[in-house]
Amino acid sequence: GENVEQHPSTLSVQEGDSAVIKCTYSDSASNYFPWYKQELGKGPQLIIDIRSNVGEKKDQRIAVTLNKTAKHFSLHITETQPEDSAVYFCAAPLTDKLIFGTGTRLQVFP
Amino acid sequence: GAVVSQHPSWVICKSGTSVKIECRSLDFQATTMFWYRQFPKQSLMLMATSNEGSKATYEQGVEKDKFLINHASLTLSTLTVTSAHPEDSSFYICSASPGGRNEKLFFGSGTQLSVL
C-alpha cells in the first residue's frame, strides 16, 4: 500500500524567506499529488496539486515539484507572509483513497 | 472551488448518546464522500468511504456499528457516532470531489466532538 512520509514536522521562517516541505511516497503507480493547508479548527484547503506527467507547477508564490524517479514531491512557498502560518499536508493516492502525510507546522515570524 | 458544507461545527454530548454530523456538497453532486478523523496535532485518518445508494466502505479498525454512515442522496452524507464515549472525542471532517474520485478533494469545515 501507499506510505507517505513528510518532513519537516515543524518549520519556522522569517517573513519574506522561502519555505520548502518535502514528501516521499512508496507506490510508483501514484499519479496525483495534492497539497493542503489547514488552519486551526478548520478543514484542509487544497492549495495546489500536480499530476505525474509534469515536473513542476506554479501558482503565484506556491510551487510544487515532482521527482517520479526518486518518488518525492515538494511544496515551495516563496516570499512567505504571516498568513502562510498553518499546517500543511501532502497526500498521495491509494486506489480510490488519499493517504495523507503527517503534516508540517509552518510558522512565519514577522 | 467546490463547496462542501459540514454541520455542526462543534458539539458537546453526554457519554452514551448519539451524535449526527451532516456533510453536504453545495454546488456539485457527490457519489462518493470521505470521512476523516483527526486528533490534535496529528494527520487525517480515513475512517470510511461513503457511497451514494450503497453501503459505506470502512477502513480497517473502524467499527461499522459505532460510526454509522448514510449517503442517501447525491449531495448529503451523514455520520452518526452511536453511544459516544470520551475516547470518541475528536475532529471529524468530510470531503468530496466534483470528479467523484480521490482527486481535487474539497473538505468541509470539520466538526469538533467532545464527549463528556
Side-chain angles (χ1 to χ4, degrees), chain A residues 31-32 36 38 41-44 46 49 51 89 93 95-98 100-102 105, chain B residues 34 36 38 41-44 46 49 59 91 93 102-110:
Chain A
N31 60 1
Y32 173 73
Y36 285 84
Q38 186 179 28
K42 298 183 179 180
L46 179 65
D49 55 10
R51 296 194 66 86
F89 292 97
T95 57
D96 57 349
K97 299 175 282 195
L98 266 188
F100 284 82
T102 48
R105 184 171 300 276
Chain B
F34 301 93
Y36 290 84
Q38 186 177 37
K41 298 186 179 181
Q42 292 191 22
S43 187
L44 293 86
L46 181 64
T49 302
E59 294 301 301
F91 193 56
I93 324 172
N102 59 355
E103 297 183 4
K104 294 202 182 292
L105 280 184
F106 290 88
F107 283 81
S109 52

Side-chain angles (χ1 to χ4, degrees), chain B residues 52-66:
Chain B
E52 188 268 334
S54 64
K55 291 182 180 180
T57 304
Y58 290 81
E59 294 301 301
Q60 191 173 6
V62 178
E63 300 176 56
K64 301 179 183 181
D65 296 332
K66 176 75 170 174

Side-chain angles (χ1 to χ4, degrees), chain B residues 44-101:
Chain B
L44 293 86
M45 299 302 297
L46 181 64
M47 298 175 64
T49 302
S50 172
N51 303 298
E52 188 268 334
S54 64
K55 291 182 180 180
T57 304
Y58 290 81
E59 294 301 301
Q60 191 173 6
V62 178
E63 300 176 56
K64 301 179 183 181
D65 296 332
K66 176 75 170 174
F67 299 100
L68 299 179
I69 291 174
N70 185 357
H71 195 150
S73 78
L74 286 171
T75 59
L76 174 63
S77 175
T78 61
L79 168 68
T80 301
V81 183
T82 63
S83 187
H85 290 287
E87 57 265 30
D88 298 324
S89 299
S90 187
F91 193 56
Y92 294 87
I93 324 172
C94 68
S95 69
S97 168
R101 298 175 59 194

Side-chain angles (χ1 to χ4, degrees), chain A:
Chain A
E2 182 71 275
N3 184 39
V4 181
E5 294 188 1
Q6 184 172 345
H7 299 282
S9 56
T10 60
L11 180 59
S12 297
V13 299
Q14 204 73 33
E15 182 177 2
D17 289 349
S18 295
V20 181
I21 304 170
K22 184 176 176 178
C23 281
T24 59
Y25 60 96
S26 58
D27 188 354
S28 56
S30 294
N31 60 1
Y32 173 73
F33 307 94
W35 284 92
Y36 285 84
K37 174 183 181 182
Q38 186 179 28
E39 296 177 339
L40 189 63
K42 298 183 179 180
Q45 175 189 5
L46 179 65
I47 56 172
I48 196 167
D49 55 10
I50 191 169
R51 296 194 66 86
S52 58
N53 57 344
V54 297
E56 182 177 3
K57 183 177 178 181
K58 272 187 178 181
D59 183 2
Q60 300 181 343
R61 297 186 297 109
I62 294 173
V64 54
T65 58
L66 172 65
N67 183 328
K68 282 217 74 179
T69 304
K71 288 191 280 188
H72 68 68
F73 56 109
S74 300
L75 176 70
H76 304 254
I77 306 175
T78 58
E79 300 172 38
T80 54
Q81 300 167 4
E83 50 265 38
D84 293 329
S85 297
V87 179
Y88 291 82
F89 292 97
C90 64
L94 173 62
T95 57
D96 57 349
K97 299 175 282 195
L98 266 188
I99 304 301
F100 284 82
T102 48
T104 297
R105 184 171 300 276
L106 173 65
Q107 287 186 302
V108 181
F109 291 98

